[in-house]
Amino acid sequence: MTTPSHDQIGTIKEIHGPVVDIVCNHLPPLHQALFCTLEHSNYPFEVYRHLDEQHVRAIALHPTSGLKRGLPIFDSGGPLRIPVTPDCLGRMLDMFGAPLDGKPNLATNEMRNIIAPPALLSESIPAEGILESGIKVIDLLCPFIKGGKTGLFGGAGVGKTVLIMEFMHAIVNLHQGVSVFAGVGERIREGHELWHGMQDAGVMPRTVMMFGQMDESPGVRFRVGLSALTYAEYLRDTLGKEVLLLVDNVFRFVQAGSEISGLLGRMPATVGYQPTLMSEVAEMQERIISTRGGNITGVEAVYVPADDMTDPAVSTILAHLDTSVILSRSQAAKGIYPTVDPLLSSSKMMEHNFLGERHYNVAENVREHLARYQELEDIIAMLGLEALSEKDRRIVMRARKLQRYLTQPFHVMTAHTGIPGVSVKLEQTLTDCEAFLRGDYDSTPEEQCYMRGAMQDIIGR
């Protein structure tokens, strides 16, 4: 947090939960960081509204228990700032850059504002190509764009967090990059498991994790994503490496904004969301950008309420993304992991010019086979496979094997499942899928394709 300058700016007038009204001798600018001191602890606030010439409304970024009317409020001298240093890698921090892992504070005097404009248009660069993840179904059908933004959409329990952990593993091992993880409204149990999972997977030394927990003020949950983004921008600018920014969960960021909007007395808009929904989402998304100094690739988990993709929050986030990975409960019911729906997931860069002819054609042919299999599933269930024509039977047989081939065990789940994780290069995935489509593996049993890596390894065994 900002170093206090101890200039008294006013006193507390009213406290309503996390909302604090302050009488000021001069008005601080919006988003100024204020604080008061109680029992040798600093209680930070962020100014959100000017009520009149002498009163401001602020959101407390700390539990307000113990605060009372008349306490002096001090001006920090600027907006919320966090300490930045390359030594942040390997650490678990809160929204203010303070340690959550029991280690010493970050040793640096360099501070950065968490609210900042995006990189200049003249400094930014367009998407350069695919960022391979080693996950077959994603690299083939909805590839990550280097320097782009990817959303993982799904309801509760379909594997969003596990996929995010695997991406962190991939970026460290395949690309020698660094990861910044933002836990927005995380349960402490989830955060604890994730931290230990990252240490067990050996990727924590090149990762910084930031948490705004579920029981904290909505102001913390609303700003922790921007704090993580500030670290990602710093690592991009200083190290010039591939930076992977992972946010779990963007929907909770929207929820925190909705809570703050209600606390400030704003009238709700569509389906009860805040009227500032679009600008708040854009404020964060537009900063996930690549410059000549380095790349930031965003991967964001998005909870879909009631599995409704038309929800205003989901639609607003979707508009900013290059790639949409839809995780399906029906895939999980079939035992298909990762639970990516190959027909609903898509990327704006699925074009000949960007992917190349070979990748584009293989992806389209795989989709056609899987789509035809989905069309015929009801007929197969009612009349059996024998009711199909010879051509359709061949398509169904190959589609079932492709469906199973696109599953794979993850490195980060090895400790839980006992199955060694695998990573498959895109070139090998394309070669295998071409072989499936030609019929080279028509005599291979389906179970040999399930939860394996490249087909050459399977046939070799």
Side-chain angles (χ1 to χ4, degrees):
M1 205 185 80
T2 306
T3 305
S5 63
H6 298 288
D7 292 332
Q8 183 171 344
I9 195 172
T11 57
I12 293 177
K13 182 184 179 185
E14 293 182 26
I15 304 168
H16 302 279
V19 178
V20 178
D21 288 354
I22 300 167
V23 183
C24 301
N25 46 43
H26 65 273
L27 284 181
L30 292 176
H31 305 301
Q32 186 85 340
L34 312 177
F35 71 97
C36 72
T37 303
L38 187 67
E39 297 177 356
H40 308 293
S41 295
N42 284 340
Y43 282 62
F45 308 94
E46 184 180 0
V47 177
Y48 273 89
R49 190 172 178 184
H50 290 168
L51 299 176
D52 55 37
E53 292 86 349
Q54 290 185 308
H55 296 83
V56 298
R57 182 160 288 169
I59 298 292
L61 303 175
H62 190 286
T64 52
S65 174
L67 296 185
K68 57 187 179 182
R69 290 178 178 177
L71 278 177
I73 298 293
F74 300 94
D75 189 353
S76 68
L80 290 164
R81 291 197 283 262
I82 55 173
V84 290
T85 168
D87 294 336
C88 65
L89 292 170
R91 300 298 303 273
M92 184 164 66
L93 309 170
D94 67 9
M95 180 201 132
F96 307 106
L100 292 172
D101 50 13
K103 296 178 182 178
N105 291 335
L106 296 177
T108 178
N109 293 322
E110 188 177 354
M111 310 291 283
R112 277 201 179 193
N113 295 344
I114 68 167
I115 301 173
L120 295 173
L121 201 58
S122 57
E123 291 294 314
S124 63
I125 57 174
E128 298 179 323
I130 293 175
L131 183 70
E132 286 193 36
S133 66
I135 301 170
K136 293 180 284 188
V137 65
I138 285 176
D139 288 346
L140 176 67
L141 299 176
C142 42
F144 286 6
I145 310 304
K146 190 178 289 187
K149 295 184 276 286
T150 299
L152 309 178
F153 293 85
V158 292
K160 296 187 294 295
T161 302
V162 172
L163 258 181
I164 276 187
M165 289 168 65
E166 188 69 9
F167 297 147
M168 292 167 78
H169 187 277
I171 204 77
V172 170
N173 288 280
L174 297 181
H175 303 279
Q176 301 301 308
V178 295
S179 300
V180 180
F181 177 85
V184 182
E186 286 281 286
R187 302 170 185 88
I188 190 65
R189 170 186 57 79
E190 291 175 335
H192 191 264
E193 288 175 1
L194 189 61
W195 182 43
H196 283 285
M198 291 295 96
Q199 289 176 319
D200 294 341
V203 300
M204 196 62 205
R206 299 187 69 79
T207 302
V208 54
M209 303 182 77
M210 303 198 72
F211 286 98
Q213 296 167 36
M214 191 172 274
D215 65 335
E216 294 190 88
S217 160
V220 171
R221 286 179 274 125
F222 189 59
R223 291 303 190 202
V224 68
L226 296 186
S227 292
L229 190 46
T230 303
Y231 277 113
E233 289 172 334
Y234 172 77
L235 293 170
R236 175 195 68 193
D237 299 339
T238 55
L239 301 183
K241 291 208 174 196
E242 187 74 51
V243 180
L244 185 67
L245 173 69
L246 304 117
V247 185
D248 188 9
N249 182 310
V250 181
F251 184 76
R252 295 199 192 115
F253 161 77
V254 172
Q255 280 184 313
S258 183
E259 282 184 56
I260 289 173
S261 183
L263 291 167
L264 295 174
R266 295 185 190 135
M267 187 73 73
T270 316
V271 198
Y273 286 108
Q274 61 270 41
T276 51
L277 172 65
M278 296 184 76
S279 59
E280 288 171 1
V281 170
E283 181 184 12
M284 184 166 82
Q285 300 291 347
E286 292 302 301
R287 286 173 62 185
I288 303 173
I289 197 169
S290 297
T291 65
R292 294 185 178 90
N295 291 321
I296 296 180
T297 302
V299 179
E300 308 165 21
V302 185
Y303 170 71
V304 181
D307 292 333
D308 178 16
M309 290 296 291
T310 63
D311 184 87
V314 175
S315 301
T316 302
I317 296 163
L318 195 59
H320 290 272
L321 303 177
D322 300 299
T323 301
S324 306
V325 179
I326 312 297
L327 304 181
S328 162
R329 216 172 290 282
S330 63
Q331 292 288 90
K334 295 173 187 172
I336 305 297
Y337 295 98
T339 60
V340 176
D341 189 314
L343 301 179
L344 295 180
S345 302
S346 63
S347 173
K348 291 178 180 174
M349 298 298 188
M350 287 292 286
E351 299 175 352
H352 293 276
N353 298 336
F354 190 80
L355 297 180
E357 289 290 334
R358 184 189 180 206
H359 185 173
Y360 180 84
N361 290 333
V362 171
E364 287 302 298
N365 282 327
V366 168
R367 270 210 177 92
E368 283 174 15
H369 275 65
L370 294 172
R372 183 62 180 157
Y373 173 42
Q374 191 178 69
E375 288 172 6
L376 296 170
E377 274 185 319
D378 289 342
I379 296 173
I380 295 169
M382 289 186 292
L383 303 176
L385 202 59
E386 298 75 20
L388 303 180
S389 67
E390 181 63 33
K391 180 182 177 183
D392 280 343
R393 273 205 298 273
R394 191 165 56 248
I395 288 173
V396 167
M397 179 180 64
R398 291 174 184 172
R400 285 175 62 87
K401 288 175 183 173
L402 280 166
Q403 189 182 54
R404 282 151 181 76
Y405 170 73
L406 293 176
T407 64
Q408 73 188 79
F410 285 167
H411 294 90
V412 294
M413 296 304 291
T414 301
H416 300 281
T417 61
I419 306 171
V422 294
S423 181
V424 182
K425 291 186 175 179
L426 174 60
E427 179 66 27
Q428 184 62 52
T429 301
L430 294 175
T431 301
D432 287 345
C433 288
E434 284 172 336
F436 276 111
L437 295 167
R438 280 196 308 266
D440 294 1
Y441 296 118
D442 282 359
S443 59
T444 305
E446 287 179 6
E447 57 271 16
Q448 284 195 19
C449 307
Y450 180 68
M451 279 292 174
R452 305 292 173 89
M455 287 304 289
Q456 63 182 22
D457 300 334
I458 299 167
I459 301 304
R461 282 200 295 274

